[in-house]
Amino acid sequence: MKRTLFTVVTATLSLTLGLAQAAQDSPSAPHATALFQQHCASCHGAQRTGSMGPALLPESLARLRPAEARKTIAEGRPATQMPAFQASLSPADIQALTELIYQPMRPTPAWTELDIQASRVQHTDARKLPNKPQWKADPMNLFIVVEGGDHHVSLLDGDRFERIHRFPTRYALHGGPKFSPDGRFVYFGSRDGWISKYDLWNLKLVAEVRAGLNMRNVAVSSDGRWVIAANYLPHSVVLFDHDLKLVQTHAARSGVESSRVSAVYDAAPRQSFVVALKDVPELWEISYAGKKAPAAPRRIQLEEPLDDFFFDPAYRHALGASRPQGDGQATAQVVDLDAGRKVANLPIAGMPHLGSGITFDYQGRRVLASPNLKDGAIDVIDLTNWQTVKTIATPGPGFFMRSHEKTPYAWVDSMMAPKAKDRLTVIDKRTLQVVAEVREPGKTLAHIEFTRDGQYALASLWEMDGALIVYDAATFKEVKRLPMSKPVGKYNLHNKLTRSEGTSH
Ligand code: HEC
């Protein structure tokens, strides 16, 4: 009797203690490693790099709070293969496992060119399938909706707002999907490093390859010949042909310093990929002009590393922010890609999310507008002299901003603000004034994308039992709502392929 009570008390104690403090009371690390091998390795891999279940490395868990990880281990995840362990493991063991998965794996797991090649799976021979859509809708007004809740993608007819198809994806897609120039194929990148090539016209998965163990995003060359991946783990950039066959890898290092890779984007008019390194102050340009495989990267030396970035409409400049760890001050800079050097600092406070910026004409000049991850502010910058035209106050820090050539309005979320995450703010691009707001009280509303003609704005009700909400882009009235499982992103094929000024590329 006494013993049972004691167990219950220690159990509650170790659950309520903070992670750091509990570490002192928890079983030893070797014990946790043994527990992992016994109970978790079969699905998450002996090296925690994932197999049937997702990778469980600190890089992979950046968006999962330890308390949630602990709950997942104890209670499992309904409707998935993740079992509940609270009946078979003690609270102290569950705590020890939670701590273990946030520790780096020692030695760091490797992922070599041989591993990449061995991971490739050919699912379908796309050359044997019809070269036209096997469904009836405008293939260019198609929306690809990423449903992060249960890891599916929905294809939506952008004229009727009806689902054409829904299919499962790899765990946690990351970065926007990218397309072949004819719009037939889409490439998805996943958090755990998988690239999946999918035939939109025949609704079939074509091929997959694992480019790394933790990946940021993928890009596809404007000529459709190359696919490239930016990895956090290992520190590498990996280039494939359009069939996802490995062509080359570049270790992301500068001298003795090794770096995570923040992002890679296609710079179509330059016929190159531009790569940002997170830990060393270099920007790389990998040219794919000409017939041969791309050559070694051209290295541009910077003062500060870039995180996400954005191109001006001519693709002459890369505009990016650094994201220092801890309390460091973020800086935003303009890099002239032709001259190969920084040419200006951007006068933006807080933490601009330039990767989600848009451009438009304001009083005869080209301006950039960018949301801010730290301040409730939209900075509007003149692209000819890099000066601030206006800072527009919004209800809170936001992540995404979108517009379209054919609408006078830009839409922005404030999803980083607990009290204002439930609204979208509509800004008139002609006056830079806030003109309207749409709300879903108590829920998270974010990520807007327009139809091909700019007449409708599609937003995400960013919840497990969420929805895609279609608004009339002129009246801001809801016209339709489709239930979806946490629709974390949606992408209009035409707007992406034409590199619409109102959306990220
Ligand atoms: C039978 C296979 C299986 C076993 C055994 C298993 N898991 Fe999982 N686990 C999964 C799957 C599949 C998921 C993804 C669930 C989903 O789709 O949300 C998952 C998800 C998780 C997540 C959430 C990851 C994230 O990114 O959100 C954690 C944490 C986790 N597992 C920890 C563990 C631990 C610790 C053990 C051992 C005590 C374990 N799992 C055993 C299959 C398994």
Side-chain angles (χ1 to χ4, degrees):
M1 182 67 208
K2 245 185 171 168
R3 245 193 100 161
T4 326
L5 187 68
F6 178 70
T7 321
V8 173
V9 172
T10 33
T12 331
L13 244 175
S14 58
L15 275 175
T16 38
L17 280 174
L19 207 62
Q21 201 185 343
Q24 298 162 6
D25 311 327
S26 66
S28 64
H31 175 64
T33 306
L35 284 175
F36 188 89
Q37 295 309 329
Q38 190 187 341
H39 298 283
C40 325
S42 58
C43 291
H44 292 285
Q47 297 250 76
R48 293 180 6 223
T49 53
S51 77
M52 189 275 277
L56 297 178
L57 299 162
E59 291 86 353
S60 330
L61 300 173
R63 290 188 189 174
L64 188 74
R65 282 193 298 272
E68 270 173 67
R70 194 163 45 219
K71 185 167 184 280
T72 301
I73 302 168
E75 297 169 18
R77 288 242 173 107
T80 78
Q81 307 256 36
M82 173 62 197
F85 286 93
Q86 58 195 4
S88 51
L89 293 177
S90 70
D93 284 348
I94 290 175
Q95 175 65 27
L97 282 164
T98 306
E99 283 161 34
L100 176 82
I101 58 177
Y102 286 90
Q103 295 302 314
M105 190 72 202
R106 292 282 176 250
T108 307
W111 195 250
T112 65
E113 294 197 339
L114 286 177
D115 292 318
I116 298 173
Q117 280 159 337
S119 71
R120 187 179 177 283
V121 191
Q122 183 80 46
H123 294 278
T124 310
D125 185 352
R127 289 166 307 181
K128 296 207 175 113
L129 298 175
N131 195 25
K132 57 173 196 284
Q134 299 302 298
W135 33 266
K136 285 198 185 64
D138 173 0
M140 278 298 153
N141 198 20
L142 187 72
F143 280 89
I144 284 75
V145 187
V146 175
E147 297 184 63
D150 62 357
H151 311 285
H152 276 67
V153 158
S154 282
L155 304 180
L156 205 69
D157 171 349
D159 293 312
R160 279 174 286 249
F161 305 119
E162 279 163 13
R163 230 191 220 111
I164 295 170
H165 191 51
R166 188 172 197 264
F167 55 93
T169 69
R170 288 278 168 181
Y171 193 81
L173 296 188
H174 221 275
K178 298 291 149 65
F179 303 96
S180 64
D182 58 1
R184 173 171 170 186
F185 298 104
V186 56
Y187 296 85
F188 299 105
S190 87
R191 182 194 85 179
D192 289 350
W194 286 96
I195 308 177
S196 309
K197 175 179 180 178
Y198 186 89
D199 183 339
L200 290 169
W201 294 355
N202 293 288
L203 306 178
K204 284 218 159 53
L205 187 59
V206 178
E208 291 185 290
V209 71
R210 193 170 188 189
L213 299 173
N214 187 257
M215 187 166 76
R216 296 302 292 172
N217 75 336
V218 296
V220 174
S221 63
S222 54
D223 59 11
R225 292 163 70 212
W226 312 105
V227 180
I228 192 165
N231 287 328
Y232 263 14
L233 189 71
H235 293 173
S236 65
V237 181
V238 188
L239 185 84
F240 301 89
D241 71 6
H242 62 91
D243 269 333
L244 300 182
K245 294 198 177 107
L246 179 65
V247 176
Q248 53 188 230
T249 57
H250 296 286
R253 46 172 55 253
S254 172
V256 294
E257 303 251 25
S258 176
S259 173
R260 292 170 290 173
V261 183
S262 312
V264 57
Y265 293 109
D266 175 58
R270 308 179 67 82
Q271 299 244 308
S272 67
F273 294 116
V274 177
V275 181
L277 304 188
K278 194 169 175 72
D279 308 307
V280 303
E282 277 184 18
L283 195 67
W284 290 4
E285 181 166 36
I286 301 177
S287 168
Y288 56 77
K291 287 212 161 57
K292 284 195 297 229
R298 166 183 168 232
R299 292 161 183 254
I300 298 173
Q301 305 297 328
L302 305 174
E303 289 156 25
E304 300 275 347
L306 281 191
D307 205 274
D308 63 327
F309 64 98
F310 173 88
F311 297 110
D312 65 355
Y315 285 73
R316 165 94 192 259
H317 299 100
L319 286 64
S322 64
R323 295 253 181 93
Q325 308 289 317
D327 299 334
Q329 191 56 41
T331 56
Q333 53 184 306
V334 183
V335 180
D336 183 328
L337 294 169
D338 288 343
R341 62 185 168 83
K342 180 182 109 175
V343 289
N345 286 317
L346 286 178
I348 307 182
M351 199 171 277
H353 189 219
L354 288 162
S356 183
I358 62 167
T359 66
F360 54 92
D361 280 327
Y362 173 68
Q363 298 183 348
R365 351 175 229 184
R366 235 324 95 162
V367 295
L368 153 81
S370 151
N372 201 302
L373 304 173
K374 262 196 184 155
D375 296 331
I378 298 298
D379 293 288
V380 182
I381 310 256
D382 186 331
L383 284 176
T384 56
N385 60 15
W386 317 116
Q387 298 300 307
T388 303
V389 176
K390 187 172 177 187
T391 300
I392 307 165
T394 62
F399 208 86
F400 302 106
M401 176 152 196
R402 291 286 194 272
S403 187
H404 189 279
E405 289 80 350
K406 300 224 171 94
T407 174
Y409 306 111
W411 298 50
V412 62
D413 67 79
S414 36
M415 72 180 294
M416 316 293 283
K419 291 216 175 89
K421 64 184 168 70
D422 60 359
R423 64 197 78 174
L424 298 174
T425 302
V426 183
I427 294 164
D428 191 325
K429 294 189 283 186
R430 297 162 297 193
T431 59
L432 304 184
Q433 302 286 341
V434 172
V435 290
E437 193 174 87
V438 297
R439 278 191 77 174
E440 285 293 321
K443 306 281 173 61
T444 298
L445 196 57
H447 197 280
I448 311 92
E449 176 89 321
F450 286 81
T451 47
R452 151 178 204 170
D453 59 10
Q455 285 196 28
Y456 297 94
L458 280 62
S460 292
L461 191 59
W462 193 286
E463 307 285 335
M464 286 305 272
D465 54 348
L468 197 96
I469 308 178
V470 183
Y471 296 97
D472 183 311
T475 63
F476 321 128
K477 293 268 182 313
E478 178 177 334
V479 296
K480 189 156 182 179
R481 184 177 288 235
L482 291 109
M484 300 235 175
S485 174
K486 205 181 206 186
V488 295
K490 69 204 72 62
Y491 308 86
N492 179 276
L493 213 86
H494 175 267
N495 294 345
K496 292 292 165 193
L497 280 174
T498 57
R499 298 191 298 278
S500 162
E501 65 181 25
T503 186
S504 62
H505 308 138

